[in-house]
């Protein structure tokens, strides 16, 4: 399989420590192709049988990342945790490619601020996040979610454009989407419980409940 692929065709995970390998495995289970990169030969050998492609490389070198085709990917996750320097330099190198949306692991608030300043769009703290949870957020339009198991989840999503200007009453039963709107934040207003008279304005944020698959599909509506 070629490292170069169309934008959006896979996810790159850089760093195969505990968090990185769990994230890569979760993305694979969700049906997404994963290109994993680590400078440690033992980790590369260990995970090669389980992931689509695992490459041993120095991720702090922009030229190396460009040769691997990372400029063509839509999302790259920097999961490096052992070296703050390698983490920051990798994000800086990725930013130089000018293409991928960069997610990065942070080990402290200071680390997070540095990562954001050099190009990370999203920063996560693995100590409070599971690889599976971050995987869902990376590949969907959900802003946040809680999975309670037993096919039930609550998610925060941006209101789909097709619902803007309509009231919840006009929409009728939300069963057609497989979810229920339980709350909303209209622009300039605090979050409040949903009512049938509530009109969805541009820029609204909705709280919906349903299965994780249902809320992901709802979040992906145009």
């Amino acid at each position: 399989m070629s490292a170069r692929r169309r934008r959006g065709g896979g996810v790159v995970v850089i760093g195969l420590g505990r968090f990185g390998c769990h994230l890569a495995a979760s993305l694979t289970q969700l049906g997404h192709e994963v290109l994993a990169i680590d400078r440690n030969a033992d980790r590369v050998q260990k995970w090669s049988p389980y992931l689509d492609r695992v490459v041993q490389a120095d991720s702090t070198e922009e030229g190396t990342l460009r040769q691997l085709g990372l400029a063509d990917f839509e999302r790259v996750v920097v999961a490096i945790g052992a070296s703050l320097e390698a983490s920051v330099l990798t994000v800086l190198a990725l930013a130089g490619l000018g293409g991928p949306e960069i997610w990065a692991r942070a080990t402290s608030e200071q680390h997070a601020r540095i990562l954001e300043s050099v190009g990370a769009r999203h920063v996560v703290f693995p100590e409070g996040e599971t690889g599976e949870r971050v995987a869902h957020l990376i590949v969907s339009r959900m802003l946040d979610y809680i999975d309670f198991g037993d096919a039930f989840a609550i998610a925060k999503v941006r209101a789909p454009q097709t619902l803007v200007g309509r009231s919840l009453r006009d929409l009728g039963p939300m069963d057609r989407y497989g979810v229920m709107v339980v709350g909303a934040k209209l622009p300039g207003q605090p979050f409040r419980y949903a009512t049938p008279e509530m009109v969805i304005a541009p820029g609204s944020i909705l709280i919906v409940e349903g299965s994780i698959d249902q809320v992901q599909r709802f979040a992906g509506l145009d």
Side-chain angles (χ1 to χ4, degrees), residues 161-181:
Q161 188 61 36
T162 53
L163 306 186
V164 170
R166 306 175 66 184
S167 71
L168 295 183
R169 185 191 302 279
D170 292 339
L171 294 175
M174 295 299 286
D175 289 344
R176 75 181 69 178
Y177 304 108
V179 302
M180 177 179 292
V181 178

Side-chain angles (χ1 to χ4, degrees), residues 140-142 157 160 175-179 208 211-222:
S140 77
R141 295 184 185 176
M142 293 187 296
V157 303
D175 289 344
R176 75 181 69 178
Y177 304 108
V179 302
V208 300
S211 72
I212 186 64
D213 290 337
Q214 289 170 334
V215 296
Q216 279 196 147
R217 285 196 297 270
F218 181 78
L221 293 175
D222 293 326

Side-chain angles (χ1 to χ4, degrees), residues 78-125:
V78 179
I80 299 170
S83 170
L84 187 149
E85 180 182 8
S87 167
V88 172
L89 290 178
T90 296
V91 170
L92 191 61
L94 287 167
L97 299 180
E101 178 180 288
I102 304 170
W103 292 66
R105 168 189 181 172
T107 55
S108 67
E109 290 292 343
Q110 183 182 30
H111 186 192
R113 288 194 296 271
I114 295 172
L115 292 172
E116 290 172 342
S117 70
V118 297
R121 181 174 177 182
H122 305 277
V123 175
V124 296
F125 293 85

Side-chain angles (χ1 to χ4, degrees), residues 16 27 29 43 48 90 93 105 110 122-123 142-143 157 172-174 197-198 203-204 207 215:
L16 288 174
L27 288 166
Q29 291 171 1
R43 288 178 177 172
S48 290
T90 296
R105 168 189 181 172
Q110 183 182 30
H122 305 277
V123 175
M142 293 187 296
L143 301 175
V157 303
M174 295 299 286
E197 295 76 24
M198 180 179 288
S204 296
I207 303 297
V215 296

